Amino acid sequence: DTAVSQTPKYLVTQMGNDKSIKCEQNLGHDTMYWYKQDSKKFLKIMFSYNNKELIINETVPNRFSPKSPDKAHLNLHINSLELGDSAVYFCASSPAGINYNEQFFGPGTRLTVL
Amino acid sequence: KNQVEQSPQSLIILEGKNCTLQCNYTVSPFSNLRWYKQDTGRGPVSLTIMTFSENTKSNGRYTATLDADTKQSSLHITASQLSDSASYICVVSAQGTYKYIFGTGTRLKVLA
């Protein structure tokens, strides 16, 4: 009964490749997020979607493009991967509304760019 | 600038001992503050959430306090267990936004 699931869990790829990470939540939440956790373990928000609509788009290279086919899914596509993209990417979801809402995180996808 | 700072950066304690982790923030206008526990290789898991009007909240052996005037929060862990070894992250959100500002975390190691 995984609440927030991500695939793949590990992703190793060459520089310049294009890759996607998928996220699904079965909690009925309206809001989903993508975070990047760097080697210093600092979590930083990248994107947020509320009911399939983009509401947060932090300063992230255009090579990163989120796609939300429905409110239960938020996928992350990365073009022309660079060494600096190596990190753990976490998907999260929360109920509708913007205050006092708990976020539920997925298990993370460890991306290694060689 | 909205920031969240945590201290100490890392902490080692013996099993059974208590410890307190600190979080200072400059986020305004304040909405709520959360403490998360992140085990190695896993996603963060929520421990407590506090709004402006709440100054203490417990979750088992975890007790969080909030002083909205001084913009400080602490997480107290009682009778630590080996399974408490993890990173503890303080997260603050501002009113009217979907943004959550994450602290850099405190890495706690509990030794037998």
Side-chain angles (χ1 to χ4, degrees), chain B residues 3 8 14 38 43 51 54 56-57 64 68-69 74 96 100-101 103 108 112:
Chain B
Q3 282 188 313
L14 292 176
Q38 185 177 18
T51 60
E54 297 171 298
T56 187
K57 203 161 220 183
D69 291 330
S74 65
Y100 300 81
I101 297 108
L108 174 66

Side-chain angles (χ1 to χ4, degrees), chain B residues 22-64:
Chain B
Q22 300 290 344
C23 173
N24 296 335
Y25 62 92
T26 59
V27 179
S28 183
F30 175 83
S31 174
N32 60 74
L33 183 146
R34 313 139 189 259
W35 282 94
Y36 283 89
K37 178 187 179 189
Q38 185 177 18
D39 291 312
T40 301
R42 311 286 292 271
V45 174
S46 179
L47 294 175
T48 64
I49 304 176
M50 288 185 291
T51 60
F52 184 89
S53 59
E54 297 171 298
N55 54 23
T56 187
K57 203 161 220 183
S58 291
N59 178 358
R61 294 180 296 101
Y62 301 101
T63 300

Side-chain angles (χ1 to χ4, degrees), chain A residues 9 31 33 35 37 41-43 45 48 50 55-56 58 90 94 97-103 105-107, chain B residues 31-32 34 36 38 41-44 46 49 51 54 57 89 94-100 102-104 107:
Chain A
K9 188 166 174 62
T31 310
Y33 311 78
Y35 287 87
Q37 188 169 43
K41 306 299 182 186
F42 185 61
L43 268 162
I45 192 165
S48 178
N50 185 59
I55 53 173
I56 293 177
E58 292 296 294
F90 287 99
S94 67
I98 55 178
N99 293 321
Y100 204 73
N101 277 316
E102 185 174 348
Q103 281 187 315
F105 284 80
Chain B
S31 174
N32 60 74
R34 313 139 189 259
Y36 283 89
Q38 185 177 18
R42 311 286 292 271
S46 179
I49 304 176
T51 60
E54 297 171 298
K57 203 161 220 183
I89 305 170
Q95 282 186 26
T97 77
Y98 285 92
K99 291 191 180 185
Y100 300 81
F102 283 70
T104 50
R107 301 181 79 166

